[in-house]
Amino acid sequence: MGSDLQVKKIAWRRWQLTQDFSFRIGEVEVTVPAGEETDYASIPRAFWCLVAPDDYPEAAVPHDWLYRTGTVPRVVADAVLLSLLREQGCPRWQRWPMYLAVRAFGWHAWRQHRKREHFNPSTL
């Protein structure tokens, strides 16, 4: 994939990258910078018996970062997740439900990040 993912735990279900993490999709290489935070996968606790939030961190971290930055459309960020899950060896019976869940419910996180982008405290 790219460089090894190096994180430190900063809170319950929160980690911070301690060094840049690079990944490649086709001919494009993307780097998630050190200091970025992640919760890995936002999987409801009831489904942890099927897949735990930290089972595929090298797919979850880039997806989190793409959602946070909005550098690509949401549909592309979700396709990147699916591709990285496949590369990591995530079985089809796990990766497709994860992908379909972010397609169905990821809009909320996407919108929250876009709202923060446009927040201007000087207008208060």
Side-chain angles (χ1 to χ4, degrees):
M1 185 164 291
S3 59
D4 290 330
L5 181 63
Q6 299 293 320
V7 297
K8 66 178 177 180
K9 191 167 187 154
I10 56 174
W12 186 77
R13 295 216 41 214
R14 298 294 305 167
W15 291 264
Q16 184 176 52
L17 276 69
T18 57
Q19 67 181 33
D20 291 353
F21 176 70
S22 298
F23 64 99
R24 179 176 291 282
I25 296 292
E27 297 299 314
V28 178
E29 184 165 331
V30 179
T31 299
V32 180
E36 286 295 314
E37 293 183 16
T38 184
D39 66 352
Y40 292 139
S42 301
I43 298 170
R45 196 179 208 41
F47 298 104
W48 287 7
C49 59
L50 300 174
V51 61
D54 58 351
D55 278 353
Y56 300 99
E58 290 89 356
V61 168
H63 187 254
D64 280 357
W65 187 75
L66 292 171
Y67 262 48
R68 190 170 16 267
T69 62
T71 54
V72 298
R74 182 175 157 243
V75 68
V76 173
D78 294 346
V80 166
L81 173 69
L82 182 62
S83 178
L84 293 175
L85 286 169
R86 186 179 318 111
E87 278 185 31
Q88 286 190 333
C90 179
R92 183 177 297 206
W93 67 268
Q94 283 182 322
R95 75 174 172 257
W96 276 100
M98 290 171 68
Y99 170 74
L100 294 173
V102 298
R103 290 303 306 143
F105 304 108
W107 63 268
H108 179 69
W110 182 265
R111 283 191 182 160
Q112 289 300 106
H113 290 301
R114 302 298 71 77
K115 283 181 185 176
R116 282 192 284 273
E117 253 176 30
H118 299 301
F119 177 69
N120 183 350
S122 66
T123 62
L124 297 178

